[in-house]
Amino acid sequence: MAFTQAEQALIREDIFRWLDELQLAGQYDFSREDLSKYTWRGQSIRLVDPQGGIWNPRDFDTTLSILTTPNGPYDDKPEDGMFVRYAYAKAEKGTNTKLKRAFVTQEPLIYFAPSTRSNRYVAHYPVYVSQDDEENREVVVALDAQFKLFADPLQLGADEREWAERTVMARVHQPLFRAKVMTAYEETCAICSLRHKQLLDAAHIIPDSHERGVALVTNGISLCKIHHAAYDGNFIGISPDYKVVVNSELLLEVDGPMLKHGIQEMHGRTLVLPKKENEWPERENLAFRFETFAA
Ligand SMILES: [Zn+2]
C-alpha cells in the first residue's frame, strides 16, 4: 500500500537517522546489501536499486536515492564539489518521472557516491534536485541543504561562493574524506594503534575552516577520539618527521592512568603510517600545523 505524503516525509527522516546511527557506530561506507537492511515498522524498504542508479520505491511518489557507480554507463559529473550532474535513466519507462517530481516537490533524497573500497558507497543526505535540465537529460543535485538558501545555486556570487566554501564544503567532503583516511590507515589510530573504528575520527591536519585545509588524505590522519581532541587542542603535536610530541607542561603533570599511559607515554612515538607512501601526511601540512603547537 502506498504511503501517504506525511508518512513518506517521516520515513525519509527516519532513514537519515538510521544512516546517522550506522555512521556514529563507525561505518563510513555501504554496500548495496547494507542498504537493503532498513525497516520501517517491520516493513523492509531498500535504500538503493538492486542494480541501477535511480531508486524509486513503489510506495514513494518521488525518488528516494541516486547512486553513481565508478566506470558506469553514465557520466555523472561532480560540479565544483557542490553539485552533481546526474543523467536521466536511458530507458524512459517512468524511471525519470519520480526524479523530475523530486525537483518539483523539493523532497530530500540521498546521493550515494563511490567510496575508496570497491562496490561500496559514501552517503550524502539530505540532498536536493536543484535543477531539471531537460535539454541535456540530466538533473543537477545540490549536495547540501544550505545551497537552497541561494536564489540561483548555479550562479553564485563571489561572497556566496566564499561563504559556501568556508562553511558547507567541509560537510560535503566529509563522507569521502573519512572513507579515504579510514582505508589508508586500515582503521587504526596513528598515535596509539587503537583499532576500533567506532572510536576513530578522520582528523584534519590543517583545519577544514582554513583555506589550506583541503579534504585530501594527505591532509588527514586517523586518530582515536582522545588523540584527535588532544591534537586539535595542541596537547599533542606531530612533527614534520612523523614524531609524536606531547606538550612539555603536560609531560610533567601527575594525574590518572589516562594521562600517563594514554598521553605521556605517546611522547616520542613514530606515527603509524599508511602502507602507501603517497597517502602519508604531507610534511608541509604537518610543519604548518606544528608551528601552532610549538607556539
Ligand atoms: Zn589513539
Side-chain angles (χ1 to χ4, degrees):
M1 198 181 70
F3 297 115
T4 64
Q5 293 286 334
E7 279 173 325
Q8 292 178 43
L10 273 179
I11 296 169
R12 280 174 202 262
E13 286 304 319
D14 191 60
I15 288 169
F16 301 154
R17 178 204 54 79
W18 186 77
L19 290 168
D20 284 348
E21 268 177 19
L22 290 175
Q23 294 187 95
L24 278 172
Q27 188 159 358
Y28 50 87
D29 57 15
F30 306 90
S31 65
R32 285 192 201 251
E33 201 208 331
D34 294 335
L35 298 169
S36 69
K37 289 180 180 154
Y38 172 78
T39 57
W40 167 257
R41 297 183 177 161
Q43 179 180 344
S44 166
I45 300 174
R46 297 188 63 94
L47 305 191
V48 286
D49 188 85
Q51 280 110 34
I54 301 169
W55 177 228
N56 299 316
R58 201 183 21 184
D59 299 337
F60 281 66
D61 297 327
T62 62
T63 298
L64 179 60
S65 74
I66 53 177
L67 176 148
T68 296
T69 37
N71 318 313
Y74 297 97
D75 186 19
D76 304 321
K77 300 171 283 293
E79 191 107 327
D80 311 346
M82 298 164 72
F83 303 95
V84 169
R85 290 188 166 274
Y86 198 89
Y88 289 180
K90 285 192 170 120
E92 193 64 52
K93 288 187 191 150
T95 309
N96 297 318
T97 311
K98 289 186 179 180
L99 184 62
K100 293 164 74 64
R101 201 179 289 151
F103 169 66
V104 176
T105 64
Q106 288 297 295
E107 219 77 61
L109 53 158
I110 313 162
Y111 173 55
F112 292 104
S115 179
T116 47
R117 304 194 285 178
S118 57
N119 299 318
R120 285 173 175 270
Y121 303 89
V122 296
H124 294 270
Y125 56 91
V127 301
Y128 297 87
V129 178
S130 60
Q131 196 185 42
D132 180 8
D133 185 348
E134 293 188 324
E135 198 175 321
N136 294 308
R137 294 182 53 79
E138 60 188 17
V139 290
V140 178
V141 178
L143 292 181
D144 194 283
Q146 295 290 319
F147 298 141
K148 289 178 73 170
L149 296 174
F150 301 126
D152 183 356
L154 295 180
Q155 305 287 333
L156 296 190
D159 286 354
E160 290 175 323
R161 176 164 297 280
E162 201 218 297
W163 178 83
E165 278 170 5
R166 197 157 27 82
T167 61
V168 183
M169 293 312 285
R171 195 160 63 224
V172 172
H173 287 148
Q174 187 58 27
L176 190 57
F177 178 66
R178 178 169 167 83
K180 283 179 187 166
V181 171
M182 287 299 120
T183 48
Y185 288 79
E186 297 176 9
E187 302 172 8
T188 304
C189 173
I191 291 181
C192 69
S193 308
L194 184 75
R195 296 184 59 99
H196 277 275
K197 64 184 175 194
Q198 192 165 359
L199 300 177
L200 296 176
D201 288 334
H204 285 77
I205 297 170
I206 300 179
D208 51 24
S209 54
H210 193 280
E211 61 180 52
R212 286 177 57 186
V214 288
L216 296 174
V217 68
T218 50
N219 189 42
I221 313 180
S222 166
L223 294 177
C224 69
K225 302 277 180 191
I226 191 84
H227 288 135
H228 185 188
Y231 185 58
D232 281 358
N234 291 317
F235 295 101
I236 286 180
I238 297 170
S239 72
D241 57 350
Y242 309 113
K243 285 275 190 290
V244 179
V245 183
V246 175
N247 171 286
S248 53
E249 281 175 29
L250 196 62
L251 268 182
L252 299 173
E253 227 176 274
V254 179
D255 195 44
M258 189 44 152
L259 179 67
K260 185 172 190 293
H261 303 297
I263 298 194
Q264 290 167 338
E265 286 176 11
M266 297 299 120
H267 185 66
R269 272 172 73 119
T270 303
L271 221 57
V272 180
L273 292 165
K275 284 208 179 95
K276 295 182 197 150
E277 206 171 326
N278 64 359
E279 294 179 331
W280 289 11
E282 190 76 57
R283 281 177 194 269
E284 273 179 27
N285 293 348
L286 288 172
F288 181 87
R289 178 63 190 274
F290 197 63
E291 278 173 30
T292 321
F293 167 77

